[in-house]
Amino acid sequence: MLVLFDLDGTLLKTDGIDWRLYIQAFADAYGLEVRVAECRACRRITDRGVAEELLERRLGRPIVAEDLRPLHERFLALLHAALSAPSDALQVPGAAAIMQRLRGDGHAVAIATGGWDASARLKLARARIELDGIALTACDESPDRESIMTRSVVGAGGIARHGRVVYVGDGPWDVAATRALALPFVGIDYSGTRTLARLGVGTVLRDFTDAGAFLRALDEARPPTSPTPPRPPGVRARRKASRHRSPSRRGS
């Protein structure tokens, strides 16, 4: 089996600081104010994808690689300052141990992240997660998650080599990408938001501390289903009332 891991919010508890520093880097690099909600509403939720969409909207022209350099460099500098010392506390509990366990059991492990390669490697180093023998695929060459995941699978030898590929992630964008690719998905919800459950993810764990539970989740995982649309307000009450309505007396 090949297990692909997302990074921020899945292996690392860096999702909050990542958004905050990304917003700050945007302001520092371009003098532009953006909000997290605006970033999360973009079509491609990756460091590159968000930047391209927001800059194209602000500047009114197609974005080229050179346009992203100031943001990339400033974001990395902010991360260096914010994550100045290594700390196991940056890991979602059990993250490093479960990756080691998977490899020890003969499974392949890779990381497919929507972040940039340099910032992803910095965060992993600060969290004391070794990348030795673990391939990392980031957004530098592909701004959308489906392409990042596909490149990661192909780089690891493909489904034919491993028989089964499961993606482990935490965000709505991870759910959308695995649904589009029909990849089995295991959700991680270390902060207890229950967002993934509402999006149709059948297998959601808090963290990796129970290795047995996680391994069973990998075996049982299926691609995310489409979430059930919420019922309009009042529908349930009207249906209940209709069941108790007196029968018609027409013809009496």
Side-chain angles (χ1 to χ4, degrees), residues 175 179 197-201 223-229:
V175 177
R179 185 182 290 131
R198 290 193 293 269
L199 291 174
V201 179
T225 59
S226 297
T228 303

mmCIF file of all heavy atoms in Angstrom, residues 175 179 197-201 223-229:
data_model
loop_
_atom_site.group_PDB
_atom_site.id
_atom_site.type_symbol
_atom_site.label_atom_id
_atom_site.label_comp_id
_atom_site.label_asym_id
_atom_site.label_seq_id
_atom_site.Cartn_x
_atom_site.Cartn_y
_atom_site.Cartn_z
ATOM 1 N N VAL A 175 -10.606 16.666 0.595
ATOM 2 C CA VAL A 175 -11.793 15.855 0.298
ATOM 3 C C VAL A 175 -12.174 15.998 -1.166
ATOM 4 O O VAL A 175 -12.431 15.009 -1.863
ATOM 5 C CB VAL A 175 -12.976 16.270 1.204
ATOM 6 C CG1 VAL A 175 -14.229 15.479 0.841
ATOM 7 C CG2 VAL A 175 -12.630 16.067 2.664
ATOM 8 N N ARG A 179 -12.003 12.976 -3.889
ATOM 9 C CA ARG A 179 -13.263 12.605 -4.536
ATOM 10 C C ARG A 179 -13.099 12.646 -6.057
ATOM 11 O O ARG A 179 -13.574 11.752 -6.766
ATOM 12 C CB ARG A 179 -14.380 13.540 -4.090
ATOM 13 C CG ARG A 179 -15.762 13.156 -4.621
ATOM 14 C CD ARG A 179 -16.814 14.146 -4.174
ATOM 15 N NE ARG A 179 -17.065 14.052 -2.758
ATOM 16 C CZ ARG A 179 -17.094 15.088 -1.915
ATOM 17 N NH1 ARG A 179 -16.839 16.312 -2.373
ATOM 18 N NH2 ARG A 179 -17.353 14.919 -0.649
ATOM 19 N N ALA A 197 -16.455 15.125 8.720
ATOM 20 C CA ALA A 197 -17.632 14.267 8.835
ATOM 21 C C ALA A 197 -18.813 14.880 8.098
ATOM 22 O O ALA A 197 -19.591 14.179 7.432
ATOM 23 C CB ALA A 197 -17.977 14.038 10.305
ATOM 24 N N ARG A 198 -18.956 16.196 8.186
ATOM 25 C CA ARG A 198 -20.060 16.874 7.496
ATOM 26 C C ARG A 198 -19.872 16.863 5.985
ATOM 27 O O ARG A 198 -20.835 17.070 5.239
ATOM 28 C CB ARG A 198 -20.184 18.314 8.000
ATOM 29 C CG ARG A 198 -20.686 18.418 9.432
ATOM 30 C CD ARG A 198 -21.080 19.837 9.774
ATOM 31 N NE ARG A 198 -19.946 20.731 9.797
ATOM 32 C CZ ARG A 198 -19.223 20.988 10.885
ATOM 33 N NH1 ARG A 198 -19.517 20.395 12.034
ATOM 34 N NH2 ARG A 198 -18.205 21.827 10.836
ATOM 35 N N LEU A 199 -18.643 16.630 5.526
ATOM 36 C CA LEU A 199 -18.370 16.610 4.088
ATOM 37 C C LEU A 199 -18.446 15.203 3.496
ATOM 38 O O LEU A 199 -18.077 14.999 2.349
ATOM 39 C CB LEU A 199 -16.989 17.215 3.819
ATOM 40 C CG LEU A 199 -16.873 18.719 4.065
ATOM 41 C CD1 LEU A 199 -15.424 19.173 3.902
ATOM 42 C CD2 LEU A 199 -17.772 19.501 3.099
ATOM 43 N N GLY A 200 -18.898 14.247 4.261
ATOM 44 C CA GLY A 200 -19.085 12.902 3.739
ATOM 45 C C GLY A 200 -17.911 11.971 3.906
ATOM 46 O O GLY A 200 -17.866 10.917 3.263
ATOM 47 N N VAL A 201 -16.954 12.328 4.767
ATOM 48 C CA VAL A 201 -15.805 11.456 5.017
ATOM 49 C C VAL A 201 -16.211 10.419 6.060
ATOM 50 O O VAL A 201 -16.581 10.763 7.185
ATOM 51 C CB VAL A 201 -14.587 12.261 5.500
ATOM 52 C CG1 VAL A 201 -13.417 11.329 5.776
ATOM 53 C CG2 VAL A 201 -14.207 13.306 4.462
ATOM 54 N N PRO A 223 -13.230 6.260 -1.076
ATOM 55 C CA PRO A 223 -13.283 7.650 -1.545
ATOM 56 C C PRO A 223 -14.438 8.389 -0.889
ATOM 57 O O PRO A 223 -15.481 7.783 -0.598
ATOM 58 C CB PRO A 223 -13.511 7.501 -3.059
ATOM 59 C CG PRO A 223 -12.962 6.147 -3.384
ATOM 60 C CD PRO A 223 -13.272 5.290 -2.189
ATOM 61 N N PRO A 224 -14.281 9.680 -0.615
ATOM 62 C CA PRO A 224 -15.355 10.443 0.024
ATOM 63 C C PRO A 224 -16.619 10.436 -0.836
ATOM 64 O O PRO A 224 -16.558 10.516 -2.065
ATOM 65 C CB PRO A 224 -14.782 11.854 0.135
ATOM 66 C CG PRO A 224 -13.311 11.690 0.026
ATOM 67 C CD PRO A 224 -13.097 10.510 -0.879
ATOM 68 N N THR A 225 -17.764 10.334 -0.187
ATOM 69 C CA THR A 225 -19.038 10.437 -0.879
ATOM 70 C C THR A 225 -19.459 11.893 -0.912
ATOM 71 O O THR A 225 -18.924 12.726 -0.174
ATOM 72 C CB THR A 225 -20.109 9.612 -0.168
ATOM 73 O OG1 THR A 225 -20.237 10.093 1.181
ATOM 74 C CG2 THR A 225 -19.724 8.138 -0.135
ATOM 75 N N SER A 226 -20.409 12.205 -1.764
ATOM 76 C CA SER A 226 -20.940 13.567 -1.778
ATOM 77 C C SER A 226 -21.777 13.774 -0.532
ATOM 78 O O SER A 226 -22.588 12.921 -0.179
ATOM 79 C CB SER A 226 -21.803 13.791 -3.027
ATOM 80 O OG SER A 226 -21.011 13.664 -4.188
ATOM 81 N N PRO A 227 -21.588 14.898 0.159
ATOM 82 C CA PRO A 227 -22.364 15.127 1.380
ATOM 83 C C PRO A 227 -23.840 15.266 1.086
ATOM 84 O O PRO A 227 -24.238 15.745 0.019
ATOM 85 C CB PRO A 227 -21.777 16.439 1.929
ATOM 86 C CG PRO A 227 -21.174 17.111 0.742
ATOM 87 C CD PRO A 227 -20.689 16.005 -0.161
ATOM 88 N N THR A 228 -24.666 14.833 2.013
ATOM 89 C CA THR A 228 -26.110 14.969 1.858
ATOM 90 C C THR A 228 -26.503 16.431 2.030
ATOM 91 O O THR A 228 -26.151 17.053 3.038
ATOM 92 C CB THR A 228 -26.846 14.128 2.922
ATOM 93 O OG1 THR A 228 -26.412 12.775 2.786
ATOM 94 C CG2 THR A 228 -28.346 14.222 2.741
ATOM 95 N N PRO A 229 -27.221 17.011 1.045
ATOM 96 C CA PRO A 229 -27.613 18.423 1.178
ATOM 97 C C PRO A 229 -28.483 18.617 2.407
ATOM 98 O O PRO A 229 -29.309 17.763 2.745
ATOM 99 C CB PRO A 229 -28.415 18.696 -0.106
ATOM 100 C CG PRO A 229 -28.027 17.605 -1.041
ATOM 101 C CD PRO A 229 -27.721 16.413 -0.192
#
